Amino acid sequence: MCGIIGNLSRVPDPAAVITEAAVAALRHRGPDGSGIYVADRVQLGHTRLAIIDLTDAGKQPMLSQDKRYAVTYNGEIYNFPELRSELEALGEKFISHSDTEVLLIAYKVWGNSCVRRFRGMFAFALWDDREKTLFMARDRCGEKPIYYFRNSERLIFASELKALLPLLPSRPDLDVSVVDMYLHYQYTPEPYTLLKGVYKLPAAHTLTITSDDWDCEPKHYWDVENTDVRAYKSAGNPLELIRHGIEDSVKVMLRSDVPVGVALSGGIDSGVIAALAQKNSPQP
């Protein structure tokens, strides 16, 4: 995992909200490097856990080659080699071997709809310095977190609440109605948190914000209930389809420039994953 943190001001603002100290609050999520990107309205911070492209070419926040886009990103896009090949066929050039650069160029080419092409786990914030637009997105199942606070002047986000809270203008109160939800369900339903005014970007949602559209709301880009299953119903034996689907997922998740391991719970699901990982790995 990596740590992401950022601040967007509604108007140009010289105040340094995202400092080295603010980024350091997420160092435990990314011990392999850190950085800060600063523009007239936005600051993006990042702490890196290097998995793909261990060189400095993969460091973040990452800028596009024309300096128009900047991104801070946590996660892994498992199908990035296929997307890279597709983008290269469209004439795009790459200078790294990272999935982060694939994300940047995918946004350049396909805009907000790029998230529909991603297979993986991710939370990211991408700044367009020409359009003065911040685009935030979270993966389909919400594996990677992103919390945010917004008032009339600024939007602040982070991977964790404890990194976000010191940057807020005042200490938020507990949201009693959400505490009640937690006591009933034993979890906090998204987009709520236990703190008033602090939200979690829901799974499979994006948020696009500009100074002219400051009160925008998250938008849903995927829902398992709306998946078209008609093609699968006539595609063959359901058990074979499940086996193929799981093995295909395990194969792409093994893509890494560092050693890969499996955390075993002792259940059937993690046992299946471990067995298929061993089948498709040259190493024990």
Side-chain angles (χ1 to χ4, degrees):
M1 61 183 177
C2 297
I4 66 173
I5 191 168
N7 167 72
L8 173 67
S9 300
R10 195 168 187 180
V11 298
D13 182 4
V17 175
I18 305 304
T19 62
E20 293 287 350
V23 173
L26 291 169
R27 186 64 51 81
H28 60 284
R29 295 183 68 91
D32 298 326
S34 64
I36 299 175
Y37 165 82
V38 179
D40 61 351
R41 299 188 187 200
V42 71
Q43 299 144 33
L44 305 177
H46 188 266
T47 60
R48 185 186 186 198
L49 179 66
I51 302 295
I52 301 293
D53 191 345
L54 309 185
T55 71
D56 283 346
K59 67 182 180 180
Q60 297 187 50
M62 182 179 286
L63 275 65
S64 60
Q65 296 177 44
D66 61 2
K67 311 301 183 187
R68 174 176 174 177
Y69 304 106
V71 68
T72 181
Y73 152 60
N74 172 29
E76 184 175 348
I77 297 172
Y78 299 125
N79 64 330
F80 78 95
E82 291 81 5
L83 292 175
R84 176 175 175 143
S85 296
E86 187 175 351
L87 291 164
E88 286 176 329
L90 295 174
E92 298 298 328
K93 306 295 184 182
F94 291 80
I95 59 175
S96 79
H97 298 285
S98 70
D99 57 332
T100 308
E101 189 178 19
V102 172
L103 187 161
L104 268 176
I105 296 180
Y107 182 84
K108 170 191 171 184
V109 173
W110 296 311
N112 295 5
S113 64
C114 66
V115 293
R116 299 178 183 274
R117 297 172 177 261
F118 296 160
R119 290 182 63 187
M121 50 178 184
F122 55 83
F124 67 85
L126 190 151
W127 172 248
D128 182 340
D129 198 49
R130 182 184 300 172
E131 299 296 330
K132 307 301 180 187
T133 298
L134 184 70
F135 176 68
M136 300 197 302
R138 193 160 170 232
D139 61 79
R140 296 182 183 190
C141 294
E143 186 169 348
K144 296 301 181 183
I146 183 167
Y147 297 88
Y148 69 94
F149 165 87
R150 177 179 55 191
N151 61 15
S152 61
E153 299 176 353
R154 65 178 71 249
L155 177 143
I156 306 170
F157 66 86
S159 295
E160 298 179 8
L161 282 173
K162 67 180 180 181
L164 180 70
L165 294 181
L167 308 181
L168 303 187
S170 61
R171 184 185 180 95
D173 294 327
L174 280 176
D175 190 324
V176 176
S177 63
V178 181
V179 172
D180 182 61
M181 292 181 193
Y182 176 80
L183 294 175
H184 274 84
Y185 306 127
Q186 297 300 297
Y187 77 101
T188 304
E190 297 174 350
Y192 305 108
T193 72
L194 296 177
L195 303 175
K196 286 185 177 179
V198 179
Y199 299 95
K200 197 173 188 179
L201 186 65
H205 278 70
T206 64
L207 180 65
T208 306
I209 186 166
T210 68
S211 58
D212 295 329
D213 190 15
W214 193 254
D215 296 323
C216 59
E217 294 299 324
K219 293 184 178 179
H220 212 171
Y221 69 85
W222 179 84
D223 192 325
V224 67
E225 293 183 356
N226 293 327
T227 301
D228 186 356
V229 298
R230 289 173 295 181
Y232 298 101
K233 289 182 177 179
S234 60
N237 186 316
L239 293 180
E240 290 302 317
L241 291 173
I242 292 171
R243 175 184 289 273
H244 173 76
I246 295 174
E247 185 164 3
D248 180 59
S249 293
V250 171
K251 283 181 181 178
V252 298
M253 290 181 187
L254 290 173
R255 292 170 171 172
S256 173
D257 292 331
V258 296
V260 175
V262 178
L264 287 166
S265 66
I268 294 175
D269 50 356
S270 62
V272 167
I273 291 169
L276 293 175
Q278 182 59 85
K279 175 183 175 182
N280 292 281
S281 173
Q283 302 297 326

